[in-house]
Amino acid sequence: MGEFTVHRVRFFDHTPAAVRALAFHAGSERLALARADGALEVFNFNDNYFQEKVIPGQDGRTVEALCWVGQRLFAAGLNGEITEYDLENLKPRYTVEAYGGPVWTISANSQGTLLAAGCEDGTVKMFEILEKKIQFQRNLDRQKGRIVSLSWNPTGSQIAAGLMDMIRVFDAETGRATHRLLVDRGVGTSKSQEVVVWSVLFLSDHTIISGDSAGKVQIWDGHTGTLVRTHLVSKWDVLALAVSQDEDSVIAGTSEGTVIQFQFLSSTVAQQDKEWVRTRTFKNHSHDVRALVHTETAVVSGGMDTQLVVRPLLDRVEKNTMESSLRKIAFPHRSLVCCAKKAGLLLFQFPEHLELWRLGEGEGHGQAGDSLPVKRKPEKLIHLKRKGDDQICCSALSPCGGWMSYSTVSSVRLYRIQFDDNNISIIKVSKLPKSLCSVHRLGFSPDSSKLFASSSHSSVVVVALNQSECKHLSTLKPKSGSRQPVHLLVASEDGKWLATANTACEVHVYNLLTMKLHCTVPVFRSCPTAIGINPVTSNLVSVHADQQIFEFSLLQKEYTEWSRKLQKQGLHSLWLERDTPVTHVTFNPRNPDHILLHDTFMFCIIDQSLPLPEAKSPLYNQMMLRSLPEADRVRHSHAFKISKNFQHLLCVSLLEDLSLVVVERPLLDIMSQLPAPVRQKKFAT
Amino acid sequence: MVEHGDVRVVHRGGSKINFREPVISNDSSFLLCASGENVKVFSTNTEECVHDLRGHTGLVTGVRLRPSNHLQVYSCSTDGTVRLWDFTDGILIKTYVIGYPIYSIYTSANHEGVIFIVTSKSDQGSELFQLVAVQLPQSTEQLVEAREFSAVLPDVSSKPASIDFGRGGEYIASVKGQQLEVFFFKKQKSYRFFLREDNKKGGKNTFTCVVCHPKDDCIATGHEDGKIRLWRNFNQKKEYTYSTMHWHHGAVGSLRFTPEGTNLLSGGVESVLVQWRYNQESEKDFLPRLGAAITHIVVSPDGALFCTSHSDNKITLIQSCVKVSAVIQGLVKGDGVRTDLMVDPHSKAMVLNGKPGHLQFYSLQRDKLLYNLDIVQQEYIHEEGLQQFEVVKAAFTSSGDWLATVEERQQKGAELEINLKLWAFDEQTQSFVLNTTITAPHEARITAMCFCHAAGSQTTMLVSTSKDGHFKAWQLAEPAHTQDEGSSPSWSCDFVGSYHGLVPESCCFSADGSLLAVSFKEVVTVWSPSSWELLTTLSQPPGAIRHLCFGRLSCSKYLLGATANSLLCCWNLLTCSLEWSTAMDTSFLLADPLSENIAAFCDQAGSTDLFVFKPNEPRPLFSQKAVCSGRVTRAVFAPREEMLESCEESSQWLNLSQLYFLTPYMDLMTFSTKAEEENLMASSKQLVIDDSIAMTPFSLLLGKHRQQQENQDPLSFLSAERTPLPHGSVAIKELLQTPAHVLPSTSFLCSMFISSLLISVTDPREEDKHVEEEMESDKENSDEEMESGTLRPEGSVGDQSAQAADPPLTKAQIREIRRVKKLDQGWMSNILDT
């Protein structure tokens, strides 16, 4: 596998924000996720749960509720505005003030014509959804107390609203309240506290299901407004409810971190009379479950512990397949770390600020596995706070360490960093070309002479960097005319090629000498998660969300022999079963056969000179190989050399002196920063 | 070797009543439970055993009500028969011969005339159990052979709790290992659901029990890790679903739905009965402190009465989940009996370890726990690994006036604590009162203890031997006169003896108390207790002497000893020489206090053989190979209440006393003769209590009136009949022995009682007729005969004797004749054999 000096970096305090809301679009199998800091993420469930898009948040704009209307995504928050997002340019398209105080919830009817918003002042406001915007239509009967939850009847004729201490049912036509369902308060000391109906569901058979802060899931008859059943599921709050498409299963998320399933079952096998029965309990969260989605095959939950959990329902999926395994998504699927290979600097991106660190230095030599004494400790050089309300969406550091750039939704900033002796000065480059305004991805050329910035319509703006000024060189545009944003941007070592990948799964390669599109790699069905250009052979290696690996020769404009062989033989099943995407591809400049890859849980060197692993041979065989005598090692070794020594990897990068930088963020460190969960009595404690 | 065709080893008395789940009759007035080879019928009101349904010759393995007639009950046994009983009258109605050992039985209202049994099928060495449906043949005969079998489930667990019928008998659910199987009778299709062997958190997913909801399609299963799962939608392979409830921290022992299905009851090692609301599982009620782990839960058909079986051989009856209304306690068998089995001379009860720190007094005749005597008198703390005082030795004097107990506690790293306690019998309270406590009577563990047996002697003496190399004699001494008068005499050490520093293993007094034998390794020392003079030493090296035993009555000159190297020696104390010795690995040696007989249990290739012999005769009186598997170390001769007049040579040793022994699996077994069994069968018909009629004031009034009318004639007949009976006749015995709640009204009894004492002139022929009936069944009540009208055919013996005897023949004379007759037959058969 080769030996490296490893910089094991654990000072990146990346802490994701809590999950606040989830919305699932069944047609395109896309899940929209809102975090507590206002950031939105879009996951493609068809493409191995890949995090396709990230829309950064904005100060003062929180998201309380999400709602898909067709392919359009709406969000509302406590700032009292309803926002529609532009998923192509990854920014809010427009916001509409609801004029009802903070908006707690929004819900669209199944026809996609009306959007209801529940406001703090007790009104349910109806908005008409038009082609380009939404327009206020009218208010429903105003209630005392805030509207916390809303649910449309699938026919669109009625709407149920959860308030404090009660549920109201409105006629959507007339706007009159037709039923008033009083919800019991909790017992004991919580008797004096009013109960919050956190979530309400209106089913097509006029059953209303509510979850409230007294820990109850209640089932009501919507025709008569009577209580049918009460399930006490928690000592604390029931925060979220979700129903399956065919309305035979309901899930409820509680403050205890449990998700409880209710199923609509007939009590005797042959008969038709069905009732809601509490069945399974899932405990995959340590903290509150704030948002739930019930897909056809799985329970998707998110909450305070920042993880998105996809728990397949084993009665709905084939057993022992990829689909039937539990999946926890804890880390972003894009890189937040930028490494200056020449200068030995690390740039960490936070939503609020950037941090520039200098790597430490070790001394002496040791055996494999030894930890070397540290001569110089790592040092935080710059802590750069962002300007403006918008959060940082991308950042880049030039390989020489002299340039640093970041971008928000609205603006791009470029800094010149100068090191003289022990002083570091940072100068903002004031004059930037106008074309750099809305950028999704930033990158520097290996010689630090050019800045690449991906812009709308998958175009890339190339800016020439100079001590004195920055000049717009060119705008590279693909021929396909795709409107999807670019999420990967890589320039080759020799400065000749620039490769981009967008969420429409297209990979374009530009020739930087001619500033023209060189070629387009054949579109694969799965989105690329990492691309890299081999500095020696000029082959483009792309790794996709479904874990496939391709190697494309830029000179011949065709897949290489190795790539064809790999596709013919197929990847090892254990490789395909990994559940986190590869987020970096780099190369060893000394040995062009080596491709370095990593995902969250492993770090791999693919040696193209070695045979591919057989389907039956063990994939993770590094430990076994070490125990074998030298002669046998060759026979047993294969192309995939995988190390699991480092876990929860955010970045693996090879410096110029061939030492490896490994940025880890242990999950336990994130957990320890979370607030304490609700107290629960544990047996025998 | 003596043939012993008519003596067999049986479970009688002290058997497990928690072996299988009990059955509550439809009107909740009777509780039926399998107990050894019998089925016992208890009254739920008084806890008294009303009937003992005898007839099986193997362990009863299941009791179920007959669905089509709620006054009848099926029982199955390992003897391969299913019997149908009328349990209110205690009559065997039918016997179905299956031919294979049966491990459990199930009935379903939906399947008329079919019972389901679990039998074993040996399959290449590994034993598999299968559930078989048996079509019961329609026949009027008593003994029917069932032939129509059809297998339902090929591989089931032999535990009865692992199979249950679903709603209306439409399906059957069976669990085994990690698999739940549901078989639908209509579709003839079965669905199997598997659980993973162990879940990630280390819980064991193994199923322990299953029960089906009576109204809904819901199956509740209990698991090894204490979880309860409620399965639904199980009529399809894929979309089945279950919910989990977890309260128990140990394995779930038993589950039961209430008849309406509104509640689910569960119990386990926590000895807490948990009541879950069906469909409202977060609400649950508890009934804690039930004493021991719950093994079975049964609910009466009206749902008002719950019944739990416990691991300490106890059945608790609970009224509406709040109040323990009755406790039926069997013989407590803990994890080991450390004291010898003894018989309390006062109560004739068997005495052994019971609850921790207690001695239990168990009446074998009435098969009932009399009382527990708290020896340790310290609170027992339920905690694993905690060492607490245990009663390890106990001894009675022959008169039963004194009881000596030894308790010990060995804590880790601490010295052994021993207390010797002496208890005096208090006539007033009829129990034992602590007289003397001697802390640390010896420096090491006490190996044996015995009282001087001399009946006539003034002083009582106790000898204890210990591992510290000494034996001590303890004597009751009057307190010194300097102290105040009120203090009672107490025990103190009289003599300390030792022999060459060797460790004494056992000790024994001769029958008249004039000699004490103490064994030191290979040497038996014989002492005179009056002068403490070492009279002689006997030895038969090599091999340490393990057991010592003096002969009795005519054989009191013999001393028997069993050595560790498989030798049984008999010394003649007059000549001080070895009379005989034989090679047998004796694990226990026991002398019958009422005869010369000595019983020796011998180890022979993993099982135990029994030899009963007289020391002066070369031939054993009785021997039986393989009495049970394993080593028998506890046995006792319990004196019979009335002498048995068995004439056959092989069973004569059982005439005066009965031999009980404990198997290594803590089953109390005894030996029973054929004659005795016949006797028991005959007497099993007892007074019938008509509890099935509700006791309303109206019915009482009406019943009394009717009874009086009806009894006009029988009464005169009865009074005439009863006259010649001596004092202590059947009528009086009946009157005194029947529980008060089942007795007829006093006014009725009074006239009967008085008339039974009157002397009236009667026709001798009528009298003769009575005697005849009386012989046939000792306890038969003529009153009952009139009502039940199910008189058995008259015995031929009775007929013959009636013909042979003159009218004024007394009962004793008839007995004599019968004995002679039997003797004749025995002699005849002997001749025929030879």
Side-chain angles (χ1 to χ4, degrees), chain B residues 472-483:
Chain B
K472 289 187 184 179
W474 309 85
Q475 213 158 21
L476 189 65
E478 289 295 329
H481 283 291
T482 50
Q483 283 161 6

Side-chain angles (χ1 to χ4, degrees), chain B residues 237-287:
Chain B
K237 193 85 213 85
K238 210 155 154 46
E239 287 199 11
Y240 71 92
T241 177
Y242 60 78
S243 53
T244 311
M245 311 188 292
H246 200 172
W247 181 86
H248 295 279
H249 75 256
V252 180
S254 184
L255 282 172
R256 184 70 48 180
F257 276 107
T258 52
E260 288 303 310
T262 48
N263 291 314
L264 173 67
L265 304 170
S266 69
V269 284
E270 301 86 2
S271 50
V272 180
L273 183 69
V274 187
Q275 188 175 18
W276 309 78
R277 303 256 180 291
Y278 180 64
N279 270 345
Q280 199 75 304
E281 280 81 13
S282 52
E283 287 175 33
K284 44 190 180 279
D285 295 328
F286 303 103
L287 183 68

Side-chain angles (χ1 to χ4, degrees), chain A residues 166-241:
Chain A
M166 69 168 101
I167 300 163
R168 301 265 5 201
V169 181
F170 298 95
D171 189 314
E173 295 286 315
T174 62
R176 298 272 163 249
T178 55
H179 284 300
R180 183 163 166 268
L181 318 176
L182 288 176
V183 179
D184 284 343
R185 292 183 175 183
V187 286
T189 51
S190 53
K191 194 92 185 167
S192 56
Q193 284 180 328
E194 51 185 7
V195 61
V196 187
V197 182
W198 283 119
S199 186
V200 66
L201 292 175
F202 207 144
L203 307 186
S204 52
D205 62 351
H206 283 268
T207 302
I208 298 172
I209 301 177
S210 68
D212 58 47
S213 61
K216 304 191 294 286
V217 171
Q218 290 185 309
I219 293 147
W220 310 79
D221 185 336
H223 289 296
T224 58
T226 49
L227 180 65
V228 179
R229 267 219 89 118
T230 299
H231 292 278
L232 188 69
V233 297
S234 169
K235 277 185 184 164
W236 309 95
D237 296 24
V238 175
L239 292 171
L241 290 174

